[in-house]
Amino acid sequence: MIKITFPDGTSKEYERGISIEQIAGDISSSLKKQSVAGYVNGDLYDLNRPIEEDASVEIITRKDQKAFEVLNHSAAHLMAQAVKRLYPDAKFGVGPAIREGFYYDIDTKEPIREEDLLKIENMMRRIVKEQQSMERKELSREEALAFFNDDPYKTELITDLPEDEIITVYSQNEFTDLCRGGHIGNTKNIKFFKLLSIAGAYWRGDSSRNQLQRIYGTAWFTQEDLEKHLEILAERKERDHRKLGKELRIFELSNDAGQGLALWLPNGYTVRKILEDYVYKLEKKAGYLHVSTPVLGTKRLYEISGHWDHYRENMFPVMERDGETFVLRPMSCPHHMIVYKSDLRSYRDLPIRYAEIVTQHRYEASGALSGLERVRAMTLTDAHLFVRKDQIKKEVLDAYNLILQAIDDLGLEIEYVELALRDKAKGKFHDNDELWDLAEKLMKELLDEEGIEYTAMTGEAAFYGPKIDIQVRTAMGHVITMSTVQLDFLLPERFDLTYIGQDGEKHRPVVIHRGLISTWERLMSILLEQYKGAFPTWLAPTQIRVIPVSLDNHDKYAKKINDLFIDYDLRSELDMREEKLGYKIRAAQTEKIPYQIVVGDDEVNNETVTYRKYGEKEQVTVPTKEFIHMIQEEIINKSK
Ligand code: TSB
Ligand code: ZN
């Protein structure tokens, strides 16, 4: 017998080898039904794992936060088993529980398509009916390596485990998986689930390694909860920028034009143009100088910068002509280095802040492309700042604060700030330890001094230096990098940049790379999802739609006010189509135009406008000038 002590201090004797499920059942049948797993002396135990010694036990029930994770982690195993039955050559990467469900990274010869998910789901249901117990077993390192010897992914995971780690595997009948555990005991306990989507994912998130297929799913304890979640997902889909971008005529993606090479349609271009003007003004006020450089450069330029050695994977193949070799630039930094070198610089000239709206191309793996969020041709709100060492902190901070302002003006919110550092073990970073240590130390100090909370991410730095990345969460739930400030001691060396110091000697400037509000492509994807396509007035492609009640009686006045709005730099349109009034009003509505103005007798007689704002019910009548004043104020205040 062993003694089990409960959180309230009471204890009871049980047979050695009793499980959480049995203990729960002993207490009450409803507790048994609610039980999902447990903590035994603080360790997470599967529902059916035998307890071998005296222990304090805490039963995890469906209500506990951990329960969702245990269920979804178990569901990942269930899915892997189903996949293995359908695709016997399948090899498995990792399959964790995540915030809203689970995924598993899978390598199969024959690609799994979206249509195949139902087939896999059906197989999962079959395994649920088979009531497979999820059995835990401890293996020695040698045994584990032998068992998984035909699976390179699992072999790598085992090899990377710390020496003293107890290696465990879980079996459900014919299927065995390497796993630390925390399971729901039996496949019969996984009842309400759905497979959702499939996407490409690099092994260990490293783009230089194999791409696996990541299948996402979600599992819940009741049908009702599952349905509720699916509803949220459906709502989210409504916000999907790919759908909204099409409906609102913002952009087009076509395989004939090329994957990840987005075409901006008139509405999209208008928004982009407004944003470009906005960025220009913002940067002007902050002392930036604007330049323009080509999308193409010599391969040599990128050899000097180090991109050729460290970033080639992300570049399109070279172009050769008459003995010259060109590359399509993936970044503009080398060009800006040359701009800096175009003149002699003294310490008094610094900082110099060159800004450019940079069109650049990156070879992103086709599986990684996602609407406008990740593309191959992109235009970045870029800048490179050339500063003295004593100016680094102030300039990084000013750049950071300018980013905060822009994000605020756009009505967006930061999810968190990431400090991306180098991983010494990886070859993709330049190898001057001294420069790395200095740059990373400075960035940490600066964030700490300013009280900016951040998450450090090893291995995510740029090849030339550490980055402060500002992350946002899209309405679709992805966390992506919006803005970035990067500290670079390398490129000034490589391009032999100098300035004459107060001492009359040559000194090296430091470069700060800054991405203000990402690329137009990524920003548009974020904005579309954030606003469900209903842009705030300052960004809306069309701000006002003027609709005469009658084409015969109200056309002149309608045209007069429309012209007036345009004279006041408002993006106003007149709807003179031979359509019914109701149709036109609905059209303005589906196009999500902020202001809809209907012109009838009263308006003509009183020189007023009657407007309805998008999303609001009531109509408001005001003198025309007052309307113009109001909308101008709103535009100046941006998204507030
Ligand atoms: C800031 N040289 C620096 C620049 O000076 C640079 O290019 N940094 S970057 O590689 O981090 O990219 C800048 C920003 O571009 C990222 O923060 C991200 O917001 C955006 N971006 C990167 N790749 C893509 C892509 N494939 N599609 C859309 N936007 C992208
Ligand atoms: Zn750069």
Side-chain angles (χ1 to χ4, degrees):
M1 299 296 270
I2 52 173
K3 186 171 153 202
I4 299 297
T5 310
F6 296 102
D8 64 0
T10 59
S11 60
K12 198 170 169 184
E13 300 263 310
Y14 285 103
E15 291 278 338
R16 187 179 300 277
I18 186 120
S19 69
I20 297 283
E21 189 173 28
Q22 288 160 336
I23 294 174
D26 177 56
I27 296 169
S28 77
S29 61
S30 69
L31 184 62
K32 180 175 173 200
K33 232 179 121 206
Q34 291 293 318
S35 61
V36 173
Y39 289 108
V40 174
N41 291 332
D43 291 335
L44 183 60
Y45 262 50
D46 313 303
L47 200 56
N48 59 341
R49 177 171 168 190
I51 304 169
E52 303 290 356
E53 56 193 17
D54 290 356
S56 66
V57 161
E58 192 185 333
I59 297 172
I60 298 172
T61 67
R62 292 177 178 195
K63 284 197 292 295
D64 295 315
Q65 215 180 349
K66 192 80 186 165
F68 183 77
E69 187 186 319
V70 168
L71 174 67
N72 276 277
H73 178 65
S74 306
H77 279 261
L78 172 64
M79 178 175 82
Q81 184 177 14
V83 168
K84 187 82 186 167
R85 283 193 186 175
L86 293 163
Y87 303 82
D89 71 301
K91 310 241 180 311
F92 297 93
V94 290
I98 51 176
R99 225 162 64 115
E100 298 187 340
F102 63 89
Y103 69 75
Y104 217 124
D105 287 348
I106 302 169
D107 189 1
T108 51
K109 265 206 214 84
E110 177 198 345
I112 301 175
R113 291 156 308 168
E114 201 93 29
E115 309 84 274
D116 299 322
L117 297 184
L118 207 59
K119 189 171 72 180
I120 300 170
E121 218 177 271
N122 287 335
M123 183 59 84
M124 288 167 73
R125 292 192 203 290
R126 211 153 101 192
I127 301 168
V128 170
K129 285 221 187 81
E130 291 170 12
Q131 311 206 349
Q132 306 285 357
S133 173
M134 307 171 96
E135 295 294 335
R136 177 180 187 277
K137 207 162 114 188
E138 291 183 10
L139 295 185
S140 72
R141 185 169 295 258
E142 292 66 36
E143 285 169 326
L145 285 171
F147 186 86
F148 288 104
N149 80 342
D150 67 339
D151 188 327
Y153 305 112
K154 297 291 176 195
T155 302
E156 186 175 326
L157 292 177
I158 296 167
T159 313
D160 286 0
L161 286 175
E163 272 303 317
D164 54 352
E165 179 101 354
I166 298 168
I167 300 176
T168 53
V169 294
Y170 279 80
S171 300
Q172 304 156 205
N173 201 8
E174 82 284 359
F175 178 75
T176 298
D177 202 353
L178 177 72
C179 181
R180 208 171 274 141
H183 294 125
I184 192 146
N186 190 302
T187 59
K188 73 176 181 204
N189 297 330
I190 314 165
K191 288 202 188 83
F192 309 104
F193 55 84
K194 180 116 195 80
L195 298 187
L196 299 169
S197 61
I198 182 156
Y202 292 112
W203 171 233
R204 308 199 115 174
D206 181 345
S207 61
S208 67
R209 310 202 55 186
N210 254 7
Q211 203 182 137
L212 310 182
Q213 305 183 85
R214 177 169 296 177
I215 303 183
Y216 288 95
T218 189
W220 296 80
F221 288 111
T222 65
Q223 179 67 20
E224 200 190 340
D225 285 347
L226 172 65
E227 274 168 21
K228 234 194 280 159
H229 181 67
L230 293 179
E231 237 167 71
I232 292 172
L233 292 183
E235 244 169 63
R236 231 185 251 164
K237 234 187 206 147
E238 285 295 301
R239 284 190 175 225
D240 189 333
H241 77 272
R242 289 167 293 194
K243 181 169 179 285
L244 289 167
K246 203 154 188 69
E247 285 168 5
L248 298 171
R249 315 287 305 130
I250 300 289
F251 71 98
E252 177 73 4
L253 282 167
S254 124
N255 279 343
D256 287 336
Q259 285 190 79
L261 305 172
L263 314 176
W264 290 76
L265 303 179
N267 283 339
Y269 181 72
T270 305
V271 182
R272 173 172 167 163
K273 187 83 178 45
I274 300 157
L275 286 165
E276 190 165 336
D277 293 347
Y278 161 74
V279 167
Y280 184 84
K281 271 194 210 157
L282 188 74
E283 286 175 339
K284 263 281 186 232
K285 285 189 261 178
Y288 286 70
L289 306 170
H290 293 88
V291 297
S292 176
T293 57
V295 293
L296 217 58
T298 63
K299 179 177 153 220
R300 165 126 193 85
L301 181 64
Y302 285 84
E303 282 169 349
I304 298 173
S305 68
H307 283 81
W308 189 250
D309 276 346
H310 298 287
Y311 204 74
R312 201 179 338 163
E313 283 286 306
N314 285 290
M315 290 165 72
F316 277 87
V318 295
M319 286 165 268
E320 286 178 14
R321 182 80 202 248
D322 299 334
E324 286 188 275
T325 310
F326 305 94
V327 297
L328 211 41
R329 71 167 167 203
M331 292 189 194
S332 68
C333 346
H335 281 121
H336 288 187
M337 302 300 129
I338 306 284
V339 173
Y340 178 89
K341 281 185 87 152
S342 66
D343 206 348
L344 270 181
R345 313 291 180 177
S346 105
Y347 67 97
R348 281 193 222 90
D349 300 329
L350 303 188
I352 296 174
R353 311 178 191 90
Y354 288 129
E356 180 175 353
I357 303 287
V358 167
T359 296
Q360 58 193 24
H361 295 79
R362 294 185 183 176
Y363 187 81
E364 303 278 4
S366 59
L369 300 173
S370 158
L372 284 187
E373 199 173 294
R374 188 171 295 279
V375 289
R376 286 176 170 172
M378 65 200 82
T379 300
L380 177 66
T381 48
D382 203 358
H384 294 95
L385 288 65
F386 298 82
V387 309
R388 302 190 309 251
K389 288 210 170 62
D390 61 293
Q391 295 169 325
I392 293 174
K393 281 194 182 168
K394 176 171 187 305
E395 288 301 315
V396 169
L397 201 64
D398 285 356
Y400 178 79
N401 284 327
L402 199 67
I403 288 170
L404 294 195
Q405 187 186 335
I407 289 181
D408 190 47
D409 284 345
L410 291 167
L412 301 174
E413 262 177 41
I414 299 172
E415 181 78 7
Y416 60 88
V417 174
E418 188 175 296
L419 177 60
L421 304 166
R422 144 175 95 142
D423 179 351
K424 266 193 186 168
K426 285 192 188 159
K428 64 177 182 179
F429 305 102
H430 81 75
D431 59 4
N432 187 325
D433 287 345
E434 207 178 309
L435 295 188
W436 273 108
D437 291 345
L438 183 59
E440 291 187 346
K441 182 171 151 278
L442 264 166
M443 288 293 236
K444 279 184 195 152
E445 261 174 29
L446 185 141
L447 288 168
D448 290 340
E449 280 167 19
E450 292 302 314
I452 301 168
E453 274 183 40
Y454 64 89
T455 314
M457 286 292 280
T458 307
E460 297 293 314
F463 78 83
Y464 44 72
K467 312 194 270 184
I468 298 173
D469 275 351
I470 292 162
Q471 307 291 101
V472 298
R473 181 182 291 281
T474 69
M476 303 292 289
H478 307 170
V479 176
I480 50 175
T481 304
M482 167 96 179
S483 314
T484 183
V485 186
Q486 313 170 348
L487 195 53
D488 179 0
F489 290 91
L490 180 76
L491 295 195
E493 291 280 338
R494 293 202 148 229
F495 282 90
D496 191 23
L497 303 187
T498 56
Y499 67 89
I500 305 299
Q502 209 162 1
D503 54 6
E505 300 288 318
K506 279 186 178 176
H507 295 267
R508 278 252 186 276
V510 176
V511 166
I512 299 166
H513 305 242
R514 185 233 52 189
L516 183 66
I517 41 176
S518 190
T519 52
W520 294 144
E521 287 74 16
R522 179 168 292 185
L523 177 62
M524 180 53 88
S525 78
I526 294 170
L527 290 175
L528 276 171
E529 294 185 5
Q530 167 84 8
Y531 290 110
K532 267 197 182 170
F535 289 103
T537 306
W538 76 284
L539 289 175
T542 304
Q543 295 168 318
I544 307 168
R545 173 75 51 82
V546 182
I547 308 171
V549 173
S550 141
L551 287 184
D552 300 325
N553 303 328
H554 311 120
D555 56 326
K556 284 204 192 65
Y557 183 68
K559 177 155 175 33
K560 189 176 117 185
I561 57 168
N562 185 59
D563 285 352
L564 186 68
F565 295 153
I566 293 171
D567 285 341
Y568 274 95
D569 284 333
L570 300 174
R571 293 184 293 279
S572 182
E573 278 174 10
L574 191 55
D575 191 345
M576 294 293 271
R577 290 177 293 179
E578 300 265 353
E579 297 282 358
K580 291 222 170 66
L581 182 63
Y583 173 89
K584 293 186 185 182
I585 289 176
R586 273 196 306 281
Q589 195 71 13
T590 24
E591 289 171 50
K592 309 195 179 195
I593 294 169
Y595 287 95
Q596 172 187 304
I597 291 182
V598 177
V599 176
D601 288 341
D602 285 352
E603 286 74 26
V604 174
N605 295 336
N606 304 329
E607 296 261 324
T608 55
V609 298
T610 298
Y611 69 84
R612 195 168 80 169
K613 194 157 187 208
Y614 181 82
E616 286 174 14
K617 280 214 169 64
E618 72 276 20
Q619 301 203 356
V620 184
T621 305
V622 287
T624 309
K625 277 282 161 68
E626 197 175 300
F627 173 75
I628 293 175
H629 183 69
M630 176 194 85
I631 197 170
Q632 281 179 326
E633 271 297 301
E634 188 189 339
I635 290 167
I636 284 177
N637 288 330
K638 308 222 161 45
S639 308
K640 279 165 211 104

